[in-house]
Amino acid sequence: MNRFFNMDNKFFVFMGRVADLLLLNFLCILCCIPIVTAGASITALYYVTLKMARDEESYIVRSFFRSFKQNFKQATIINIIMLLTAAVLFIDLRIARAGSGAMYKGLFSLFIAFALIYAMILLYIYPILAKFFNSVKNTFVNAFLMSVRHLPLTLLMLVISASPLLLMWLFAYVSYAQFTSILIMLFILMGFSTLAYWKSKIFVKIFDNYIPKDENDENDEEKNELKEA
């Protein structure tokens, strides 16, 4: 019985992690509402989950808003660029899909390839910004280079990112509407933070390749210098 009430018990550790993810998810959604601040919010989300993935001590609220403030300018610029790019890609895909003939089919395939590259960059860019000092331009370049260099892990994380949609499609296909509703509720409560945490487990292994050893051995809350990707 004493073992059960020990705070180091796996049950309490698990519940503590769930509570942290619930709080972190709430903060992320709240700070994404103005849309223009979404980049800084997602960066702050990854700043905290990368620490959680390393089992580093971190105060959720303080760490979140520290990163939010520190990366606000660069994250906002990146967010605007990504939103504009997404809008252009969406319009191009709609136009190419609506057309007929070999040219339009070729353009549609080309834009699908661009969309995949966009998704790969989007996957990496905010975690890189959360972890490393760099210019906006080099953050984009490193996001692309890392995503290609670690392509198997990149594809795995894309599947993780798409897993809620895949599960909702599966439940809808088999007519399990109740499970779909439960899944949507869980995603709203802790979906963003949970997906970021799972991906951060992979990101820490990738990022260790780009952190100088003397910096990697230090356990602090500062961002790292990025070795050339």
Side-chain angles (χ1 to χ4, degrees), residues 108-131:
F108 184 75
S109 299
L110 180 63
F111 292 142
I112 287 292
F114 284 150
L116 178 60
I117 294 172
Y118 174 90
M120 291 165 62
I121 292 174
L122 180 62
L123 180 67
Y124 277 77
I125 198 160
Y126 295 115
I128 288 175
L129 181 59
K131 186 62 180 175

Side-chain angles (χ1 to χ4, degrees), residues 46-162:
Y46 276 105
Y47 179 82
V48 178
T49 56
L50 286 168
K51 285 188 165 296
M52 292 169 67
R54 292 182 181 274
D55 292 321
E56 295 177 3
E57 291 295 331
S58 177
Y59 294 99
I60 301 298
V61 177
R62 187 173 70 182
S63 295
F64 181 91
F65 284 108
R66 176 179 180 173
S67 175
F68 187 92
K69 181 179 178 181
Q70 182 183 36
N71 297 297
F72 182 82
K73 183 178 179 180
Q74 284 187 315
T76 301
I77 294 172
I78 289 172
N79 184 45
I80 291 172
I81 293 172
M82 296 302 288
L83 287 174
L84 290 175
T85 304
V88 172
L89 270 174
F90 177 77
I91 293 170
D92 287 342
L93 282 167
R94 289 290 299 272
I95 293 173
R97 188 175 183 181
S100 59
M103 184 184 75
Y104 282 101
K105 289 182 179 179
L107 285 174
F108 184 75
S109 299
L110 180 63
F111 292 142
I112 287 292
F114 284 150
L116 178 60
I117 294 172
Y118 174 90
M120 291 165 62
I121 292 174
L122 180 62
L123 180 67
Y124 277 77
I125 198 160
Y126 295 115
I128 288 175
L129 181 59
K131 186 62 180 175
F132 299 104
F133 289 111
N134 225 319
S135 65
V136 170
K137 176 184 175 182
N138 286 338
T139 301
F140 273 100
V141 171
N142 287 320
F144 174 71
L145 292 177
M146 284 189 193
S147 67
V148 173
R149 182 170 295 174
H150 305 279
L151 188 58
L153 293 177
T154 299
L155 295 176
L156 174 60
M157 288 190 287
L158 286 175
V159 172
I160 292 173
S161 300

